[in-house]
Amino acid sequence: MTTLQPRPPYSQAEIHALYPEGLQLQLVQVLLRHGERSPVSARFQNAGLQPFWPYCAVARQMVSSTQDGTEFTPLKWRRRLETFGPDDSPVIATGPRGEVDAVCNLGELTDRGRETTHELGVRLRHLYVDQLGFLPPTINDADMIYLRATPIPRALESLQQTFWGMYPSKHRSPTLPPVTIITRAPADETLFPNDSNCRRFAQLSRAFAQRTADRWNSTNEMDYLNKLIGKWMPESSPRVAVDSHPRLSGIMDTINSTLAHGPETRLPKEFYDDKGREIIERIGVEEWFSGYQESQEYRQLGIGGLMGDVVARMMGNIEKNGNDGSLEIGGKDGSTGIGRGGEKSIKLALSGCHDTTLAAVLASLGTFQGEKWPPYTSHIALELFKQSQMQRSVPVQRDVAIAPASPPKPAKSWFGSIFGGSSEVIHNTANLGIARQKLENLSEADRSKLDGYYVRVRYNDKIVSIPGCKPVGKHLEGDESFCTLTAFKAIVDKYTPQHWKKACLSNMDVPAFPEKPEPAGY
């Protein structure tokens, strides 16, 4: 899929149905794919596609913070890209019509991507501010909003565009302090499936990709693709295949990137054949995301860390102990703490991430069957609701044995030296609370804190239902899309890693595929 075609805003009747009386919205966590971008690699120049695209006007007006004594002042500058010339001498990279300015680097968020992510922010504002009144119309600081992005610039820039769409200048105080955005070192990143820093996950990914190649490379479908576009494949890899060079998923990336932009950067018409695109997308989804649907270890290493964070923030919202991210976001300069405006809890979490993040989250919950590749600027909203006391008429089903609570095991410190990106840090666990503790390890008192809370998942404004929440007692009576928090946590607990980096070095000699089915969403 390429550019998202968003549905119209919910009607008032839909709002009443989707946000019924008796359920109070407590926390919204939005995972958003970055907006439209240039391809991550220069492909098919032999088909007339220019490697550098003229769709990044931001390059004309870059801004950096520079230090002047004790003060930081903005440095405005213009970026031009340099590349190799015919004899390896440096030349300025140019667009299809010889453009030297506003030229995009590979994989860069384009002007269109900035527009669509800003529009996403406008849509989120309309829902959560204008229609529901959940968020304030104007902010004096942003310390009730948890902002996080991956280290990839297009994800950070998309997050910023979305936030600005939610709170444009007229709805921000003139004295708004700098907003806090959380990032991680690449070795610690769990906001996307991190095969570069998780050896076992890389091993699993290769195995599932190879299975897809073995299944599809010699099929009629692949023969059809080769008749369509095979003549543009390089001599070193003349046949289109799952594992060709470029890979089939790379071909899809270039097709989708070109479709999202102007006529100056188009491939020959054969690349846009409807049947061919459907085949490419179906195979790509299987290659990249079938592992989440079939293997608990794949879910744990690929997306379990992020989902554990999502649930921990829900627990922190309930316990009001800062584990919802408020202590990370708040605090004066030099310290963490409550918000600079006195905020003690997070109401909205926005995370700038990637297509692989969104599909992995949905697939790990068993809700990605039959879905296409996530379009640019897609988003998932995970909403936490609290039921009013008057509405609690149905007892919550408890089918997980309760054991005495046990403290988390101390982490071993030598993993930091192996990964080189972060050393182990001893944290104060006095306010740990429920956080990532497994449901079966909670005391009766802690477990009862989850009663009356529900989780709902929306993907691009479409309600999705988790299969493990369908049994009686695991969802709101009359609506399977409202999963009890107890049931939701039980599902996510099964693939939340206790020590991700240790798990990334484990099972290296174990077969990649599970011995028996391990379906997602239960």
Side-chain angles (χ1 to χ4, degrees), residues 164-191:
W164 242 222
M166 288 194 72
Y167 285 102
S169 58
K170 65 180 179 180
H171 294 295
R172 301 191 304 265
S173 167
T175 59
L176 183 82
V179 300
T180 303
I181 299 179
I182 303 294
T183 61
R184 291 191 180 191
D188 296 338
E189 188 55 79
T190 57
L191 196 47

mmCIF file of all heavy atoms in Angstrom, residues 164-191:
data_model
loop_
_atom_site.group_PDB
_atom_site.id
_atom_site.type_symbol
_atom_site.label_atom_id
_atom_site.label_comp_id
_atom_site.label_asym_id
_atom_site.label_seq_id
_atom_site.Cartn_x
_atom_site.Cartn_y
_atom_site.Cartn_z
ATOM 1 N N TRP A 164 2.420 18.929 15.881
ATOM 2 C CA TRP A 164 2.113 20.308 15.463
ATOM 3 C C TRP A 164 0.723 20.386 14.846
ATOM 4 O O TRP A 164 0.051 21.410 14.962
ATOM 5 C CB TRP A 164 3.181 20.807 14.489
ATOM 6 C CG TRP A 164 3.971 21.987 14.949
ATOM 7 C CD1 TRP A 164 4.324 23.067 14.194
ATOM 8 C CD2 TRP A 164 4.533 22.229 16.254
ATOM 9 N NE1 TRP A 164 5.070 23.954 14.945
ATOM 10 C CE2 TRP A 164 5.210 23.459 16.217
ATOM 11 C CE3 TRP A 164 4.539 21.512 17.452
ATOM 12 C CZ2 TRP A 164 5.865 24.008 17.318
ATOM 13 C CZ3 TRP A 164 5.191 22.048 18.552
ATOM 14 C CH2 TRP A 164 5.845 23.272 18.478
ATOM 15 N N GLY A 165 0.284 19.318 14.174
ATOM 16 C CA GLY A 165 -1.077 19.294 13.649
ATOM 17 C C GLY A 165 -2.116 19.239 14.752
ATOM 18 O O GLY A 165 -3.202 19.818 14.625
ATOM 19 N N MET A 166 -1.784 18.562 15.838
ATOM 20 C CA MET A 166 -2.705 18.494 16.975
ATOM 21 C C MET A 166 -2.764 19.824 17.717
ATOM 22 O O MET A 166 -3.834 20.262 18.164
ATOM 23 C CB MET A 166 -2.271 17.394 17.942
ATOM 24 C CG MET A 166 -2.500 15.984 17.462
ATOM 25 S SD MET A 166 -2.347 14.788 18.804
ATOM 26 C CE MET A 166 -3.857 15.126 19.728
ATOM 27 N N TYR A 167 -1.610 20.452 17.844
ATOM 28 C CA TYR A 167 -1.544 21.704 18.596
ATOM 29 C C TYR A 167 -0.799 22.761 17.769
ATOM 30 O O TYR A 167 0.382 23.014 17.986
ATOM 31 C CB TYR A 167 -0.874 21.494 19.960
ATOM 32 C CG TYR A 167 -1.798 20.802 20.938
ATOM 33 C CD1 TYR A 167 -1.670 19.446 21.226
ATOM 34 C CD2 TYR A 167 -2.834 21.512 21.546
ATOM 35 C CE1 TYR A 167 -2.544 18.816 22.100
ATOM 36 C CE2 TYR A 167 -3.707 20.892 22.422
ATOM 37 C CZ TYR A 167 -3.558 19.552 22.696
ATOM 38 O OH TYR A 167 -4.440 18.936 23.558
ATOM 39 N N PRO A 168 -1.500 23.367 16.788
ATOM 40 C CA PRO A 168 -0.889 24.436 15.988
ATOM 41 C C PRO A 168 -0.619 25.657 16.854
ATOM 42 O O PRO A 168 -1.040 25.733 18.016
ATOM 43 C CB PRO A 168 -1.946 24.716 14.916
ATOM 44 C CG PRO A 168 -3.233 24.272 15.529
ATOM 45 C CD PRO A 168 -2.893 23.101 16.406
ATOM 46 N N SER A 169 0.062 26.638 16.281
ATOM 47 C CA SER A 169 0.555 27.776 17.062
ATOM 48 C C SER A 169 -0.536 28.487 17.845
ATOM 49 O O SER A 169 -0.330 28.924 18.978
ATOM 50 C CB SER A 169 1.278 28.770 16.145
ATOM 51 O OG SER A 169 0.405 29.217 15.113
ATOM 52 N N LYS A 170 -1.734 28.599 17.264
ATOM 53 C CA LYS A 170 -2.794 29.327 17.962
ATOM 54 C C LYS A 170 -3.329 28.564 19.168
ATOM 55 O O LYS A 170 -4.067 29.123 19.985
ATOM 56 C CB LYS A 170 -3.933 29.654 17.004
ATOM 57 C CG LYS A 170 -4.676 28.447 16.452
ATOM 58 C CD LYS A 170 -5.792 28.887 15.511
ATOM 59 C CE LYS A 170 -6.532 27.685 14.929
ATOM 60 N NZ LYS A 170 -7.610 28.125 14.011
ATOM 61 N N HIS A 171 -2.962 27.291 19.285
ATOM 62 C CA HIS A 171 -3.398 26.491 20.430
ATOM 63 C C HIS A 171 -2.225 26.104 21.334
ATOM 64 O O HIS A 171 -2.343 25.177 22.138
ATOM 65 C CB HIS A 171 -4.136 25.242 19.956
ATOM 66 C CG HIS A 171 -5.431 25.545 19.264
ATOM 67 N ND1 HIS A 171 -6.498 26.119 19.916
ATOM 68 C CD2 HIS A 171 -5.826 25.360 17.982
ATOM 69 C CE1 HIS A 171 -7.497 26.275 19.078
ATOM 70 N NE2 HIS A 171 -7.118 25.837 17.885
ATOM 71 N N ARG A 172 -1.112 26.820 21.176
ATOM 72 C CA ARG A 172 0.044 26.639 22.061
ATOM 73 C C ARG A 172 0.329 27.965 22.755
ATOM 74 O O ARG A 172 0.285 29.024 22.131
ATOM 75 C CB ARG A 172 1.291 26.203 21.277
ATOM 76 C CG ARG A 172 1.144 24.923 20.505
ATOM 77 C CD ARG A 172 2.494 24.453 19.986
ATOM 78 N NE ARG A 172 3.190 25.436 19.173
ATOM 79 C CZ ARG A 172 3.155 25.510 17.852
ATOM 80 N NH1 ARG A 172 2.422 24.645 17.166
ATOM 81 N NH2 ARG A 172 3.829 26.424 17.198
ATOM 82 N N SER A 173 0.646 27.895 24.023
ATOM 83 C CA SER A 173 0.992 29.108 24.749
ATOM 84 C C SER A 173 2.256 29.714 24.160
ATOM 85 O O SER A 173 3.182 28.980 23.760
ATOM 86 C CB SER A 173 1.208 28.794 26.235
ATOM 87 O OG SER A 173 1.817 29.872 26.895
ATOM 88 N N PRO A 174 2.352 31.058 24.093
ATOM 89 C CA PRO A 174 3.592 31.692 23.621
ATOM 90 C C PRO A 174 4.798 31.337 24.484
ATOM 91 O O PRO A 174 5.935 31.431 24.027
ATOM 92 C CB PRO A 174 3.272 33.191 23.708
ATOM 93 C CG PRO A 174 1.779 33.279 23.691
ATOM 94 C CD PRO A 174 1.287 32.047 24.382
ATOM 95 N N THR A 175 4.538 30.925 25.734
ATOM 96 C CA THR A 175 5.635 30.566 26.641
ATOM 97 C C THR A 175 5.828 29.053 26.738
ATOM 98 O O THR A 175 6.442 28.572 27.693
ATOM 99 C CB THR A 175 5.355 31.135 28.043
ATOM 100 O OG1 THR A 175 4.099 30.599 28.526
ATOM 101 C CG2 THR A 175 5.267 32.655 27.998
ATOM 102 N N LEU A 176 5.284 28.322 25.751
ATOM 103 C CA LEU A 176 5.420 26.855 25.776
ATOM 104 C C LEU A 176 6.894 26.467 25.873
ATOM 105 O O LEU A 176 7.701 26.823 25.009
ATOM 106 C CB LEU A 176 4.826 26.259 24.502
ATOM 107 C CG LEU A 176 4.839 24.730 24.414
ATOM 108 C CD1 LEU A 176 3.654 24.155 25.180
ATOM 109 C CD2 LEU A 176 4.791 24.272 22.957
ATOM 110 N N PRO A 177 7.293 25.725 26.922
ATOM 111 C CA PRO A 177 8.691 25.298 27.017
ATOM 112 C C PRO A 177 8.981 24.205 25.992
ATOM 113 O O PRO A 177 8.055 23.621 25.415
ATOM 114 C CB PRO A 177 8.791 24.760 28.449
ATOM 115 C CG PRO A 177 7.407 24.313 28.785
ATOM 116 C CD PRO A 177 6.484 25.262 28.062
ATOM 117 N N PRO A 178 10.235 23.911 25.732
ATOM 118 C CA PRO A 178 10.556 22.847 24.778
ATOM 119 C C PRO A 178 9.869 21.537 25.152
ATOM 120 O O PRO A 178 9.892 21.124 26.316
ATOM 121 C CB PRO A 178 12.084 22.725 24.883
ATOM 122 C CG PRO A 178 12.535 24.066 25.370
ATOM 123 C CD PRO A 178 11.454 24.547 26.281
ATOM 124 N N VAL A 179 9.229 20.917 24.162
ATOM 125 C CA VAL A 179 8.578 19.638 24.436
ATOM 126 C C VAL A 179 9.644 18.559 24.596
ATOM 127 O O VAL A 179 10.738 18.650 24.025
ATOM 128 C CB VAL A 179 7.597 19.262 23.311
ATOM 129 C CG1 VAL A 179 6.514 20.318 23.176
ATOM 130 C CG2 VAL A 179 8.322 19.079 21.985
ATOM 131 N N THR A 180 9.325 17.545 25.383
ATOM 132 C CA THR A 180 10.246 16.434 25.602
ATOM 133 C C THR A 180 9.932 15.320 24.619
ATOM 134 O O THR A 180 8.782 14.865 24.533
ATOM 135 C CB THR A 180 10.125 15.898 27.036
ATOM 136 O OG1 THR A 180 10.361 16.957 27.961
ATOM 137 C CG2 THR A 180 11.130 14.779 27.280
ATOM 138 N N ILE A 181 10.918 14.875 23.869
ATOM 139 C CA ILE A 181 10.779 13.745 22.957
ATOM 140 C C ILE A 181 11.796 12.687 23.369
ATOM 141 O O ILE A 181 12.992 12.963 23.482
ATOM 142 C CB ILE A 181 10.998 14.156 21.489
ATOM 143 C CG1 ILE A 181 9.946 15.193 21.074
ATOM 144 C CG2 ILE A 181 10.928 12.936 20.573
ATOM 145 C CD1 ILE A 181 10.085 15.684 19.647
ATOM 146 N N ILE A 182 11.317 11.486 23.608
ATOM 147 C CA ILE A 182 12.158 10.383 24.048
ATOM 148 C C ILE A 182 12.737 9.665 22.820
ATOM 149 O O ILE A 182 12.014 9.363 21.866
ATOM 150 C CB ILE A 182 11.349 9.382 24.887
ATOM 151 C CG1 ILE A 182 10.705 10.078 26.101
ATOM 152 C CG2 ILE A 182 12.221 8.216 25.327
ATOM 153 C CD1 ILE A 182 11.674 10.590 27.120
ATOM 154 N N THR A 183 14.031 9.407 22.841
ATOM 155 C CA THR A 183 14.659 8.566 21.820
ATOM 156 C C THR A 183 15.569 7.559 22.523
ATOM 157 O O THR A 183 15.860 7.678 23.714
ATOM 158 C CB THR A 183 15.489 9.391 20.818
ATOM 159 O OG1 THR A 183 16.540 10.076 21.518
ATOM 160 C CG2 THR A 183 14.619 10.419 20.103
ATOM 161 N N ARG A 184 16.014 6.576 21.797
ATOM 162 C CA ARG A 184 16.915 5.550 22.338
ATOM 163 C C ARG A 184 18.112 5.369 21.411
ATOM 164 O O ARG A 184 18.044 5.681 20.224
ATOM 165 C CB ARG A 184 16.202 4.200 22.475
ATOM 166 C CG ARG A 184 15.133 4.138 23.542
ATOM 167 C CD ARG A 184 14.702 2.695 23.747
ATOM 168 N NE ARG A 184 13.674 2.560 24.771
ATOM 169 C CZ ARG A 184 13.280 1.399 25.284
ATOM 170 N NH1 ARG A 184 13.823 0.269 24.854
ATOM 171 N NH2 ARG A 184 12.335 1.353 26.207
ATOM 172 N N ALA A 185 19.173 4.817 21.975
ATOM 173 C CA ALA A 185 20.295 4.386 21.147
ATOM 174 C C ALA A 185 19.837 3.212 20.286
ATOM 175 O O ALA A 185 18.975 2.426 20.701
ATOM 176 C CB ALA A 185 21.465 3.960 22.032
ATOM 177 N N PRO A 186 20.370 3.060 19.070
ATOM 178 C CA PRO A 186 19.932 1.967 18.194
ATOM 179 C C PRO A 186 19.987 0.589 18.846
ATOM 180 O O PRO A 186 19.109 -0.246 18.607
ATOM 181 C CB PRO A 186 20.894 2.073 17.005
ATOM 182 C CG PRO A 186 21.257 3.531 16.949
ATOM 183 C CD PRO A 186 21.326 3.970 18.394
ATOM 184 N N ALA A 187 21.000 0.344 19.672
ATOM 185 C CA ALA A 187 21.127 -0.974 20.307
ATOM 186 C C ALA A 187 20.016 -1.249 21.294
ATOM 187 O O ALA A 187 19.758 -2.402 21.643
ATOM 188 C CB ALA A 187 22.484 -1.087 21.001
ATOM 189 N N ASP A 188 19.339 -0.199 21.771
ATOM 190 C CA ASP A 188 18.261 -0.353 22.751
ATOM 191 C C ASP A 188 16.878 -0.190 22.142
ATOM 192 O O ASP A 188 15.877 -0.270 22.864
ATOM 193 C CB ASP A 188 18.408 0.699 23.868
ATOM 194 C CG ASP A 188 19.682 0.535 24.673
ATOM 195 O OD1 ASP A 188 20.237 -0.577 24.679
ATOM 196 O OD2 ASP A 188 20.119 1.516 25.294
ATOM 197 N N GLU A 189 16.783 0.028 20.851
ATOM 198 C CA GLU A 189 15.512 0.395 20.246
ATOM 199 C C GLU A 189 14.556 -0.794 20.143
ATOM 200 O O GLU A 189 14.911 -1.849 19.618
ATOM 201 C CB GLU A 189 15.739 0.994 18.854
ATOM 202 C CG GLU A 189 14.485 1.588 18.234
ATOM 203 C CD GLU A 189 13.850 2.626 19.130
ATOM 204 O OE1 GLU A 189 14.350 3.773 19.156
ATOM 205 O OE2 GLU A 189 12.869 2.289 19.820
ATOM 206 N N THR A 190 13.349 -0.610 20.660
ATOM 207 C CA THR A 190 12.299 -1.621 20.546
ATOM 208 C C THR A 190 11.056 -1.064 19.871
ATOM 209 O O THR A 190 10.031 -1.743 19.822
ATOM 210 C CB THR A 190 11.908 -2.155 21.937
ATOM 211 O OG1 THR A 190 11.496 -1.059 22.773
ATOM 212 C CG2 THR A 190 13.078 -2.880 22.582
ATOM 213 N N LEU A 191 11.137 0.152 19.344
ATOM 214 C CA LEU A 191 9.987 0.772 18.689
ATOM 215 C C LEU A 191 9.841 0.295 17.249
ATOM 216 O O LEU A 191 8.912 0.664 16.559
ATOM 217 C CB LEU A 191 10.113 2.297 18.759
ATOM 218 C CG LEU A 191 8.880 3.167 18.492
ATOM 219 C CD1 LEU A 191 7.664 2.671 19.252
ATOM 220 C CD2 LEU A 191 9.167 4.618 18.841
#
